[in-house]
Amino acid sequence: MAPYEGPLRGSRQPLAGEGPRPLHGVPSGVRPAATAKRQCLDTGSPLGSYPGWAVAADDDPIRMLERAIAQMGVLIAGIRPEQAGLSTPCPEFDVRALVNHVVYDLRTFKAMLAGEQRASPDVDLIGDDWSAAYRSAADSLLDAWHSRGLAGTLQLQIGEVPPSWAASQHLADVAVHAWDIARATGQSAQLDPELAQTALDWARGALKPQFRGPGKAFGTEVAVPEDAPINDRLVGFFGRDPAWKR
């Protein structure tokens, strides 16, 4: 099954920042790269505590998605205002553009669940309070998932899929972008290994070779040893170099 042709196709860059404080007062002149071309999936020391960090692996994809969203929230809260223009593992986007893209993805996933029309990806969705914008989009998506549940099927562009498949897709998007943001902003890239494994398991069944390469939705897989850390294997599968440095 080919991957859903939605936000996972977006090539965005990670967020910049360190420390646990919320991001406020981002310079008004820093705005998302509205016309940036999509190409890659908007995919140190321990990060610290966040909801779900020490929780055992869960076979409920909605609860796993909640964990991924919580992990991303910690990273966005750790971005410093001066990091907005930093480069990321997705070279066409800076940190601010990637955060904007993450919020766009969450909104688009929610629209998909609710049968609504998706918004334009070229709109500034995060203003000067990135964490607040992220929390609002995340809460809306999770509310939609809890209302819908995992029964039946979902109609996507690729056809009907189990809701659990779609929830895992959402998780993969958030998990890979979390690595992007962590790496770009100097925060720990040693992220929740169970989330990474779930995301990789989904991707190995959904991300087919025909969707990779120049002009395609995803980059070519980067070879990573099978005994490498799971987050390295995850981002390598999505076409990122685990050793990426600015």
Side-chain angles (χ1 to χ4, degrees):
M1 179 180 289
Y4 162 63
E5 296 181 359
L8 283 181
R9 299 185 63 182
S11 164
R12 312 295 167 126
Q13 294 180 302
L15 307 181
E18 296 175 357
R21 63 176 184 255
L23 178 65
H24 300 288
V26 178
S28 59
V30 182
R31 288 291 176 259
T35 59
K37 179 182 177 182
R38 293 185 173 189
Q39 288 184 343
C40 66
L41 171 75
D42 298 351
T43 76
S45 58
L47 176 66
S49 62
Y50 63 88
W53 178 269
V55 176
D58 196 331
D59 60 2
D60 183 330
I62 296 178
R63 285 199 293 266
M64 291 294 282
L65 176 60
E66 289 175 334
R67 286 171 58 177
I69 283 174
Q71 175 174 258
M72 174 69 84
V74 170
L75 292 165
I76 290 178
I79 299 171
R80 300 194 307 269
E82 65 269 23
Q83 293 178 311
L86 294 179
S87 61
T88 73
C90 293
E92 296 179 358
F93 292 85
D94 63 19
V95 163
R96 190 187 196 282
L98 179 57
V99 177
N100 196 73
H101 169 68
V102 168
V103 171
Y104 169 77
D105 277 0
L106 297 185
R107 289 189 173 196
T108 298
F109 287 141
K110 188 267 183 178
M112 178 194 74
L113 288 176
E116 302 167 350
Q117 185 173 1
R118 68 178 64 184
S120 168
D122 299 329
V123 175
D124 178 6
L125 300 174
I126 59 178
D128 291 341
D129 191 339
W130 301 3
S131 287
Y134 176 77
R135 285 194 303 271
S136 176
D139 288 347
S140 181
L141 173 60
L142 291 174
D143 285 347
W145 266 116
H146 286 298
S147 295
R148 197 230 175 267
L150 297 172
T153 60
L154 278 172
Q155 182 65 45
L156 303 183
Q157 293 176 357
I158 61 171
E160 289 189 348
V161 301
S164 59
W165 187 97
S168 294
Q169 178 207 21
H170 298 183
L171 180 154
D173 181 87
V174 176
V176 174
H177 280 314
W179 183 90
D180 289 335
I181 290 172
R183 183 67 75 180
T185 61
Q187 300 185 70
S188 173
Q190 301 303 312
L191 305 174
D192 189 325
E194 290 164 353
L195 292 176
Q197 185 66 65
T198 299
L200 182 57
D201 290 344
W202 174 86
R204 283 177 168 162
L207 180 49
K208 304 301 184 182
Q210 60 265 34
F211 294 95
R212 297 182 181 274
K216 301 292 184 64
F218 299 91
T220 303
E221 179 180 359
V222 175
V224 178
E226 280 301 315
D227 61 351
I230 182 60
N231 279 283
D232 287 2
R233 285 181 276 144
L234 171 64
V235 300
F237 192 79
F238 277 99
R240 289 149 167 75
D241 180 359
W244 181 90
K245 292 181 180 179
R246 185 173 303 100

